[in-house]
């Protein structure tokens, strides 16, 4: 199945890629130190960083996945938007300013500040890699589905090749541009994405006389005529059939709301601004921009449900993730489709670049320099290792993305798994480190490893990986591995179990630890986090 004109679609893709490559090359001229490569020299303003955070956060899941979830499931699909947005209040109130004041480049700088450096940095780096890989998995699947849909590529081998091309581009951006190049790409991408969503929102509302009630009524009427008729205006259409699915609903909400404050690639953005005031300002800007976008996604999702229909969406390559491109084609034909798809493609490239640089920085800064080299590595050596790590992470993400694409999983759902890992492995340790005076190294390790391992084990033995029922429309299971069933954990999202467990293990590890916390170090951390004394300054060129 192909929509639009493949030649037009690939031309618009090419323009977007060319523009971003030029930006990346220009930005690479200023990468003279580790602070330049990892944190863009800490010279990004609060407003710019807010737009870049929105660009980082509004991933393929936000645009393609949420629109598709609303189009197919209606009310329940909007849960993703609400959870993703509310999560920013947790990030604003608890972590943004404090992390900017205490860290240099990575989350582990904060966690290891008053703990034993080696084991804590290693644990934090491993959790960062796990979260980044889950997030990359979703973006790769989204990119493969989008390109497959727009270029008329058929067959598993050809679809896998598209994922490989996207991964290669991602690696190139990170190798050449670093955080500065990635930030500029995200600024442009966020502007284009919000503008494109606004155009589609106005267009859809215009078809219904700018009456939201008429749009919702149209979506309900179309949904009733589909092969899997649903009441898209009522809650629990997706999660209310059984007691297990209701627990899944709660688990998903918990992961979404608590996950953002533990996402390493979002936390790393706070180090690119010159002051803590700019960190606060950037989060406020991000909340406004992301909030407006999610309002647009509500209209786009219900518009796709009304004008395209769930059956056509689920039958397209990429399944649920095809709703927004199909709606664009329905509204404005080949040209609008090409523009919206190009924006979505730029969205994916920008987000995967941000994720990759975060994961590679964590390995190079926290494991290579701090643990292996005991802090003796030069900035040049560290950046070289980070670039090598980017290639390895990119290769792994490509392999996993091919699996996810062939399973037809909703990418908003895949991102929710990354949020669950972040909320389980990272957030409890961050909060304990910043606010609990007695917290010890043992507590940190139990919390990180306990949250990470429990979350990953529950995902592996859940219907996400095997044993999900066959979808009546597509004729395939939505599990990553087809035709086998070794699942015993009933929930699709493990947050309901793994997040409380991580908090409990952090407490238990601390109270059972015979060594006492360093009171002087905690006092220093508290003063630094609240006042900014000793915080890293901007790099002058």
């Amino acid at each position: 199945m192909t929509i639009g004109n493949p030649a037009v679609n690939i031309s618009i893709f090419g323009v977007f890629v060319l523009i971003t490559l030029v930006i990346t090359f220009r930005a690479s001229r200023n990468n003279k130190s580790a602070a330049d490569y990892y944190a863009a020299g800490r010279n990004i303003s609060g407003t710019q960083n807010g737009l870049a955070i929105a660009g980082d956060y509004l991933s393929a899941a936000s645009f393609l996945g949420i629109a598709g979830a609303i189009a197919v499931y209606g009310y329940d699909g909007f849960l993703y938007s609400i959870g993703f947005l509310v999560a920013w209040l947790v990030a604003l109130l608890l972590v943004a300013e404090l992390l900017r004041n205490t860290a240099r480049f990575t989350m582990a700088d904060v966690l290891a500040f008053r703990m034993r450096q080696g084991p804590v940095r290693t644990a934090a780096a491993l959790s960062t890699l796990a979260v980044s890989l889950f997030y990359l998995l979703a973006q790769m699947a989204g990119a493969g589905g989008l390109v497959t849909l727009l270029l008329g590529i058929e067959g598993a081998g050809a679809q896998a090749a598209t994922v490989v091309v996207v991964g290669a581009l991602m690696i190139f951006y990170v190798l050449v541009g670093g955080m500065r190049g990635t930030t500029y790409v995200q600024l442009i991408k966020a502007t284009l994405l919000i503008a494109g969503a606004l155009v589609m929102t106005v267009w859809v509302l215009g078809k219904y006389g700018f009456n939201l009630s008429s749009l919702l009524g149209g979506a309900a009427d179309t949904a009733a005529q589909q092969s899997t008729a649903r009441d898209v205006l009522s809650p629990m259409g997706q999660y209310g059939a059984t007691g297990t699915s209701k627990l899944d609903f709660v688990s998903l909400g918990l992961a979404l709301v608590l996950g953002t404050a533990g996402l390493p690639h979002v936390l790393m953005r706070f180090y690119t601004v010159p002051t803590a005031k700019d960190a606060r300002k950037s989060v406020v800007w991000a909340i406004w921009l992301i909030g407006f976008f999610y309002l647009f996604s509500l209209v786009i999702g219900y518009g796709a449900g009304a004008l395209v229909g769930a059956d056509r969406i689920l039958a397209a390559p990429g399944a649920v993730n095809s709703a927004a491109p199909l709606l664009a084609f329905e509204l404005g034909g080949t040209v609008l489709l090409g523009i919206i798809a190009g924006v979505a493609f730029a969205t994916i490239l920008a987000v995967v670049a941000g994720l990759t640089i975060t994961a590679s920085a964590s390995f190079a800064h926290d494991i290579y320099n701090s643990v292996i080299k005991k802090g003796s590595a030069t900035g040049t050596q560290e950046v070289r290792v980070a670039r090598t790590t980017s290639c390895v992470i990119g290769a792994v993400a490509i392999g996993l993305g091919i699996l996810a694409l062939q399973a037809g999983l909703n990418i908003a759902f895949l991102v929710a798994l990354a949020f669950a890992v972040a909320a389980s492995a990272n957030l409890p340790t961050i909060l304990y480190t910043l606010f609990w005076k007695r917290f010890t190294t043992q507590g940190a390790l139990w919390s990180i490893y306990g949250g990470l391992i429990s979350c990953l084990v529950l995902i592996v033995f859940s219907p996400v990986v095997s044993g999900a029922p066959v979808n009546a429309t597509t004729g395939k299971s939505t599990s990553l591995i087809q035709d086998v069933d070794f699942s015993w954990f009933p929930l699709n999202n493990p947050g309901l179990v793994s997040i409380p467990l991580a908090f409990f293990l952090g407490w238990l590890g601390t109270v059972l630890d015979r060594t006492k916390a360093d009171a002087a170090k905690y006092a220093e951390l508290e003063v630094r986090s609240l006042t900014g004394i000793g915080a890293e300054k901007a790099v002058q060129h």
Side-chain angles (χ1 to χ4, degrees), residues 29-222:
R29 298 174 186 173
N30 294 318
N31 284 339
K32 300 173 183 175
S33 67
D36 286 322
Y37 186 78
Y38 293 145
R42 305 186 209 280
N43 284 311
I44 305 298
S45 71
T47 304
Q48 288 177 326
N49 198 47
L51 191 56
I53 287 174
D56 225 343
Y57 198 67
L58 296 175
S59 63
S62 295
F63 187 43
L64 303 178
I66 291 177
I70 294 172
V72 174
Y73 301 112
Y75 187 100
D76 282 6
F78 195 51
L79 170 69
Y80 287 100
S81 296
I82 296 168
F84 285 150
L85 181 60
V86 171
W88 275 104
L89 296 178
V90 179
L92 174 63
L93 296 174
L94 295 179
V95 300
E97 181 180 351
L98 304 181
L99 284 180
R100 169 62 188 89
N101 285 340
T102 51
R104 291 188 67 216
F105 299 130
T106 66
M107 173 186 73
D109 288 333
V110 179
L111 302 185
F113 188 86
R114 61 191 184 97
M115 311 292 179
R116 294 205 311 276
Q117 294 280 319
V120 173
R121 283 190 180 275
T122 302
L126 290 174
S127 73
T128 296
L129 290 170
V131 174
S132 300
L133 279 174
F134 268 103
Y135 226 113
L136 283 168
L137 170 67
Q139 308 308 315
M140 291 297 196
L146 185 67
V147 176
T148 298
L149 179 70
L150 298 175
L151 303 185
I153 296 171
E154 296 181 0
Q159 292 177 4
T162 65
V163 177
V164 173
V165 171
V166 171
L169 274 171
M170 161 193 83
I171 294 167
F172 182 82
Y173 285 138
V174 174
L175 292 180
V176 176
M179 180 59 87
R180 192 185 304 275
T182 301
T183 298
Y184 291 153
V185 170
Q186 284 163 344
L187 289 173
I188 293 173
K189 163 250 156 160
T191 304
L192 291 173
L193 182 61
I194 293 170
L198 175 61
V199 168
M200 289 182 70
T201 299
V202 172
W203 205 320
V204 168
L205 288 175
K207 281 187 168 290
Y208 289 90
F210 292 95
N211 186 326
L212 185 60
S213 295
S214 297
L215 168 62
L216 297 177
D221 291 342
T222 304

Side-chain angles (χ1 to χ4, degrees), residues 472-517:
T473 305
T474 62
K476 292 197 306 181
S477 167
T478 54
S479 295
L480 276 176
I481 303 175
Q482 303 284 310
D483 303 323
V484 294
D485 184 2
F486 48 83
S487 64
W488 49 260
F489 182 67
L491 304 182
N492 286 310
N493 192 295
L496 190 61
V497 175
S498 58
I499 296 170
L501 179 63
F503 274 104
F504 171 73
L505 288 173
W507 170 82
L508 184 65
T510 297
V511 298
L512 295 179
D513 194 353
R514 294 181 179 179
T515 61
K516 299 299 181 184

Side-chain angles (χ1 to χ4, degrees), residues 167-530:
L169 274 171
M170 161 193 83
I171 294 167
F172 182 82
Y173 285 138
V174 174
L175 292 180
V176 176
M179 180 59 87
R180 192 185 304 275
T182 301
T183 298
Y184 291 153
V185 170
Q186 284 163 344
L187 289 173
I188 293 173
K189 163 250 156 160
T191 304
L192 291 173
L193 182 61
I194 293 170
L198 175 61
V199 168
M200 289 182 70
T201 299
V202 172
W203 205 320
V204 168
L205 288 175
K207 281 187 168 290
Y208 289 90
F210 292 95
N211 186 326
L212 185 60
S213 295
S214 297
L215 168 62
L216 297 177
D221 291 342
T222 304
Q225 299 166 13
Q226 304 299 299
S227 60
T228 52
R230 289 186 177 91
D231 181 359
V232 293
L233 302 183
S234 297
M236 297 296 155
Q238 183 182 5
Y239 293 102
T242 64
T244 300
S245 61
K246 290 177 181 177
L247 285 176
D248 229 342
F249 180 87
V250 175
S251 189
L252 174 64
L254 193 64
L256 295 181
V257 170
L258 297 180
T260 295
L263 287 176
H265 71 291
V266 170
L267 299 178
M268 195 169 175
R269 289 235 60 93
F270 299 138
Y271 313 141
T272 64
V273 292
T275 65
K277 180 181 178 182
D278 285 307
R280 284 198 309 276
K281 184 179 180 181
S282 62
V283 175
V284 172
W285 267 98
I287 288 173
W288 278 105
L289 292 168
I290 293 166
F292 276 118
F293 180 84
Y294 284 147
L295 288 177
F296 298 157
S297 73
L298 179 67
V299 176
I300 292 169
Y302 274 117
L307 297 173
V308 180
D311 285 352
R312 278 180 61 198
I313 292 169
L314 292 172
V320 177
N321 310 313
S322 304
L326 288 168
L327 175 63
F329 185 64
E330 193 74 25
L331 293 173
T334 300
V335 174
L336 182 62
L337 167 68
I339 292 171
I340 294 301
V343 169
F345 196 62
T347 294
I348 291 165
L349 287 175
V351 172
V352 294
L355 285 163
T356 307
I357 196 169
T358 301
S360 60
S362 182
F363 179 84
H365 181 65
D366 297 323
I367 293 182
Y368 173 73
N369 188 10
S370 300
V371 177
I372 298 175
K373 290 291 188 178
K374 308 296 185 187
S376 65
T378 65
T380 303
Q381 289 174 321
E382 204 175 298
V383 170
R384 189 185 307 125
V385 170
R387 286 178 165 145
T388 304
T389 308
S390 300
C391 297
V392 176
I393 292 167
V396 174
I398 288 168
L400 293 174
I402 291 169
L403 279 177
L405 172 62
Q406 292 172 352
L409 289 171
N410 183 347
I411 49 182
F413 165 72
L414 287 171
V415 164
L417 294 181
F419 273 62
V421 178
S424 304
N426 296 342
L427 183 63
T429 317
I430 291 171
L431 295 183
Y432 279 143
T433 300
L434 291 172
F435 299 111
W436 190 18
K437 186 176 182 178
R438 291 178 55 199
F439 195 49
T440 65
T441 298
Q442 180 172 292
L445 295 176
W446 284 30
S447 179
I448 294 174
Y449 285 126
L452 179 62
I453 293 169
S454 64
C455 195
L456 294 179
V457 167
L458 293 178
I459 289 172
V460 167
F461 292 103
S462 75
V464 175
V465 174
S466 72
V470 174
N471 186 295
T473 305
T474 62
K476 292 197 306 181
S477 167
T478 54
S479 295
L480 276 176
I481 303 175
Q482 303 284 310
D483 303 323
V484 294
D485 184 2
F486 48 83
S487 64
W488 49 260
F489 182 67
L491 304 182
N492 286 310
N493 192 295
L496 190 61
V497 175
S498 58
I499 296 170
L501 179 63
F503 274 104
F504 171 73
L505 288 173
W507 170 82
L508 184 65
T510 297
V511 298
L512 295 179
D513 194 353
R514 294 181 179 179
T515 61
K516 299 299 181 184
D518 188 332
K521 270 291 187 182
Y522 176 74
E524 183 184 349
L525 176 70
E526 188 175 36
V527 170
R528 283 183 61 155
S529 65
L530 295 175

